[in-house]
Amino acid sequence: MAERPNGRTAFTAVSRDAPTSGPAGWPEQAPNPKDVPGTLFLGGGAPVTAQGAPVAGTGVAGASSGDPDERFARAGGAALGR
């Protein structure tokens, strides 16, 4: 079975503690994001935080672009973080 993109965007979001809409803020000295196994920089992933620390990621896929996916992922993460 093929890996689903929403799982990879969730992993990327929690790993970076940032949404996956792009590698903005990726440190210059870091490896190229595409070289980090399991990451996927497409809109649709958002971190879930607790007490200011990333504890999980939400990943959403299915819209015609990543913008709606990421809005839903952020809303889900915000609801879980309450």
Side-chain angles (χ1 to χ4, degrees):
M1 183 161 97
E3 187 176 1
R4 295 181 179 181
N6 54 336
R8 290 182 60 201
T9 55
F11 171 78
T12 304
V14 72
S15 297
R16 292 189 57 237
D17 189 21
T20 59
S21 54
W26 189 266
E28 291 294 322
Q29 69 276 16
N32 188 325
K34 69 178 180 59
D35 295 332
V36 179
T39 58
L40 181 62
F41 287 95
L42 294 176
V48 177
T49 59
Q51 299 177 348
V55 295
T58 56
V60 177
S64 59
S65 75
D67 293 336
D69 290 340
E70 193 164 303
R71 281 197 309 271
F72 282 111
R74 286 178 187 240
L80 291 171
R82 289 186 207 157

